[in-house]
Amino acid sequence: RLPGMDCNPYLGIAASLACGYLGLVNEEWASQSFKGDAYEDEENMLPRTMFDAIDLFREAEAIRDVLGEDFARVYEIVKLTEYEEFLQVISPWEREHLLLNV
């Protein structure tokens, strides 16, 4: 999977290499490409929120071992803090559609 353009390129490359390494070690091969809405795939549900994604990362022991537990713990804390700060801000959409229309 290609990382988004907004990701840190060093972390994106590190995660991609770590997943490739784990695939080789565990002898897992890439599946067929997915067509359609990945959020509607019942078999491989993508996380819908940052909290869901962080929970999955917290449980992913193999990737945490490759990246290092110290790095994984700090990364998890940073992302939780960022997301909690993000949730404290009223977005322009919320301001326009919720506050002004209520």
Side-chain angles (χ1 to χ4, degrees):
R1 181 163 191 250
L2 294 174
M5 294 302 294
D6 58 344
C7 92
N8 178 311
Y10 301 105
L11 293 178
I13 291 168
S16 182
L17 289 172
C19 289
Y21 169 75
L22 289 171
L24 290 172
V25 168
N26 297 327
E27 296 184 9
E28 294 177 6
W29 308 105
S31 60
Q32 295 294 322
S33 63
F34 183 83
K35 293 187 179 7
D37 187 348
Y39 289 103
E40 298 299 324
D41 181 23
E42 296 290 328
E43 196 172 312
N44 302 302
M45 287 296 292
L46 291 175
R48 292 240 180 217
T49 68
M50 180 65 92
F51 286 129
D52 293 341
I54 291 170
D55 285 341
L56 286 174
F57 181 68
R58 186 177 293 132
E59 297 167 5
E61 293 178 21
I63 194 75
R64 293 177 79 92
D65 289 342
V66 173
L67 295 175
E69 187 55 39
D70 288 339
F71 170 80
R73 184 176 41 78
V74 170
Y75 183 77
E76 182 182 322
I77 291 167
V78 167
K79 290 301 160 187
L80 274 171
T81 303
E82 285 177 354
Y83 192 55
E84 287 170 358
E85 287 180 19
F86 169 78
L87 292 175
Q88 299 302 313
V89 176
I90 298 175
S91 72
W93 184 90
E94 290 171 308
R95 190 175 299 113
E96 181 179 337
H97 294 283
L98 300 176
L99 293 176
L100 298 178
N101 293 322
V102 173

